């Protein structure tokens, strides 16, 4: 395999009738982007040409390649994953757009699994038109867990430089949220979140705020018993496992008072509880990160934007931040792996002669190389 010096980021085009191409091309037009990564778009050169012309976007070199292994550093690369006869209808949800979105995602995930790309950035999909016999998931997060998890659980984290919000339940109907809030589920998500804050964001001893499910944190059972019976016991168990988590806090009070800023992460019980305040605070620079998996995936925190598709109005900041975050997380993980590459040999104290003795029960021949 060709050696690449720069981090290779695969970018899927998402829904071809949405704002995906516009935000991708606007994000990549910055020449400094090529100094820090090698972009590989999974999409269509013909569709790129269409949006460039119709939106009067700046031209920059883009080379067509057969596969990710052929990507050139110092250039934008594109892999054609759909046919030239693919029909575009900007602003509309179509079956064709769903098939095109899945074709890009499927090939990019295969390359991610084979380590021919280092990170995946996904442009927004329509969660309805992408459904098929092959794709039957409520979103990217669930699909990636099934495709790449190998038993590991994924965790949705919304982040920017000031706040990180993770979710116990993701794309779950509100009516089904209470039954999904279990002690085991909360502890599992707290564990993944804590590990991600350490390994992906470089926070040594993260402090996590846990939100309540009910208004006013249940008011001692008056407004609901989940806090007393499920959430507080989960927090206590997590603390015993050396996870620094606190709460439960009422969401309106934590965010409204600004107390969220005193924590490294906030664990919300359900989608809108966490995403509404996050998107209000994050403005255009929010990023969706899939934590818990061996592989790095980010995306902008917005949807397909059908209402402004093809009009040149889309803001690319979230896509650019998604690329930057993916690069930062890849580097952070590599640094963690480097730091812990050669752990010191274990030692024990021999009371018989007051000496410290090396434990040679394993092969430590390379520990100090």
């Amino acid at each position: 395999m060709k050696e690449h010096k720069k981090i290779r980021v695969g970018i899927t085009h998402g829904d071809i009738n949405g704002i995906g191409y516009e935000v991708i091309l606007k994000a990549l037009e910055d020449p400094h982007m090529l100094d820090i990564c090698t972009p590989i778009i999974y999409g269509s050169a013909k569709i790129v040409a269409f949006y460039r012309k119709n939106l009067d976007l700046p031209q920059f070199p883009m080379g067509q390649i057969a596969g990710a292994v052929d990507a050139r550093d110092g250039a934008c690369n594109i892999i054609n994953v759909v046919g030239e006869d693919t029909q575009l209808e900007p602003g509309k949800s179509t079956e064709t757009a769903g098939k095109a979105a899945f074709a890009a995602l499927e090939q990019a995930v295969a390359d991610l699994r084979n380590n021919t790309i280092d990170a995946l950035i996904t442009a927004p999909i329509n969660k309805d038109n992408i459904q098929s016999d092959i794709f039957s998931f409520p979103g990217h997060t669930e699909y990636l867990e099934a495709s790449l998890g190998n038993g590991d659980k994924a965790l949705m984290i919304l982040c920017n430089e000031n706040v990180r919000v993770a979710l116990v339940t993701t794309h779950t109907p509100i009516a089904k949220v209470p039954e999904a809030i279990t002690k085991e589920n909360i502890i599992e998500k707290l564990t993944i979140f804590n590990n991600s804050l350490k390994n992906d964001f470089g926070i040594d001893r993260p402090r996590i705020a846990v939100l309540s499910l009910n208004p006013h944190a249940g008011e001692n059972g008056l407004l609901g018993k989940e806090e007393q019976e499920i959430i507080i016991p989960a927090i206590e168990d997590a603390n015993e496992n050396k996870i620094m988590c606190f709460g439960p806090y009422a969401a309106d009070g934590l965010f409204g008072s600004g107390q969220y800023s005193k924590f490294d992460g906030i664990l919300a019980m359900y989608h809108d509880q966490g995403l509404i305040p996050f998107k209000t605070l994050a403005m255009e620079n929010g990023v969706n990160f899939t934590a818990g998996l061996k592989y790095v995936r980010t995306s902008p925190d917005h949807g397909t934007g059908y209402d402004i598709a093809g009009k040149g109005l889309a803001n690319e900041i979230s896509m650019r931040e998604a690329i930057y975050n993916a690069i930062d997380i890849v580097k952070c993980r590599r640094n963690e792996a480097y730091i812990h590459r050669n752990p010191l040999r274990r030692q024990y104290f021999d009371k018989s002669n007051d000496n410290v003795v090396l434990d040679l029960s394993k092969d430590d021949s390379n520990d100090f190389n």
Side-chain angles (χ1 to χ4, degrees):
M1 184 184 298
K2 185 193 302 183
E3 182 180 355
H4 289 263
K5 295 181 180 180
K6 292 189 175 71
I7 292 173
R8 295 156 294 165
V9 296
I11 307 172
T12 58
H13 62 186
D15 192 300
I16 59 176
N17 293 330
I19 60 174
Y21 272 98
E22 182 178 350
V23 296
I24 290 170
L25 294 172
K26 285 181 175 179
L28 294 180
E29 71 182 39
D30 182 352
H32 296 296
M33 187 69 74
L34 299 181
D35 294 334
I36 59 174
C37 71
T38 298
I40 305 167
I41 300 173
Y42 292 79
S44 163
K46 184 176 180 180
I47 297 177
V48 165
F50 171 86
Y51 279 110
R52 273 181 165 175
K53 179 180 178 181
N54 283 270
L55 299 177
D56 193 26
L57 296 175
Q59 301 290 317
F60 55 86
M62 184 175 296
Q64 296 186 49
I65 57 175
V69 293
D70 302 314
R72 292 189 301 113
D73 291 337
C76 288
N77 304 268
I78 186 165
I79 302 172
N80 289 312
V81 297
V82 296
E84 291 194 357
D85 58 346
T86 301
Q87 187 175 3
L88 282 173
E89 299 181 68
K92 295 183 179 180
S93 172
T94 66
E95 182 180 351
T96 297
K99 290 180 178 178
F102 180 68
L105 181 61
E106 184 178 39
Q107 186 163 340
V109 166
D111 287 344
L112 191 63
R113 187 186 298 112
N114 294 330
N115 297 315
T116 48
I117 58 176
D118 300 304
L120 171 64
I121 296 91
T122 58
I125 59 171
N126 181 304
K127 296 175 177 60
D128 179 39
N129 69 27
I130 198 174
Q131 298 297 317
S132 68
D133 293 338
I134 304 174
F135 188 101
S136 57
F137 302 90
H140 277 117
T141 304
E142 294 82 1
Y143 172 75
L144 294 170
E145 179 181 281
S147 302
L148 300 171
N150 194 28
D152 292 335
K153 296 295 183 180
L155 175 69
M156 182 187 290
I157 299 178
L158 280 296
C159 57
N160 71 356
E161 68 274 16
N162 297 318
V163 60
R164 304 169 195 88
V165 176
L167 307 176
V168 175
T169 62
T170 51
H171 301 111
T172 303
I174 287 293
K176 296 183 179 180
V177 166
E179 66 188 59
I181 302 300
T182 65
K183 178 181 174 182
E184 293 73 21
N185 201 9
I186 294 171
I187 293 174
E188 178 183 79
K189 298 303 168 63
L190 277 170
T191 302
I192 298 171
F193 197 14
N194 186 64
N195 290 337
S196 180
L197 290 170
K198 289 180 178 180
N199 300 324
D200 300 327
F201 295 94
I203 301 170
D204 187 34
R205 298 188 66 196
R207 294 165 50 89
I208 301 172
V210 181
L211 299 185
S212 63
L213 175 65
N214 297 297
H216 305 289
E219 290 282 17
N220 293 319
L222 179 65
L223 303 178
K225 297 185 181 300
E226 284 85 359
E227 285 73 23
Q228 293 174 312
E229 297 178 355
I230 298 172
I231 300 176
I232 291 175
I235 292 172
E236 292 172 346
D237 279 15
N239 284 329
E240 290 182 3
N241 289 321
K242 299 182 180 180
I243 297 174
M244 294 178 62
C245 55
F246 310 86
Y249 299 100
D252 58 345
L254 185 77
F255 286 105
S257 66
Q259 291 298 305
Y260 70 89
S261 63
K262 297 183 178 180
F263 297 93
D264 301 298
I266 295 98
L267 182 69
M269 293 296 115
Y270 58 93
H271 187 279
D272 285 11
Q273 183 189 49
L275 267 62
I276 290 174
F278 173 79
K279 291 188 177 183
T280 301
L281 293 166
M283 302 299 287
E284 301 96 352
N285 66 353
V287 173
N288 182 345
F289 167 51
T290 303
L293 304 181
K294 175 183 175 182
Y295 306 92
V296 175
R297 174 260 174 171
T298 63
S299 74
D301 70 346
H302 56 71
T304 55
Y306 286 144
D307 57 325
I308 59 172
K311 299 178 181 179
L313 302 175
N315 189 320
E316 76 280 8
I317 293 177
S318 185
M319 173 58 77
R320 186 181 293 118
E321 290 296 320
I323 297 172
Y324 289 159
N325 272 259
I327 294 168
D328 287 344
I329 292 168
V330 169
K331 289 181 177 180
C332 198
R333 288 187 178 187
R334 289 178 178 177
N335 287 339
E336 282 292 310
Y338 179 80
I339 291 170
H340 297 98
R341 69 197 185 283
N342 288 324
L344 292 173
R345 287 177 287 184
R346 291 170 295 173
Q347 299 179 346
Y348 67 91
F349 189 76
D350 186 353
K351 293 182 178 180
S352 63
N353 56 15
D354 293 334
N355 288 327
V356 173
V357 182
L358 292 175
D359 179 358
L360 301 178
S361 60
K362 63 182 181 71
D363 180 9
D364 294 306
S365 57
N366 295 319
D367 277 359
F368 299 102
N369 292 341

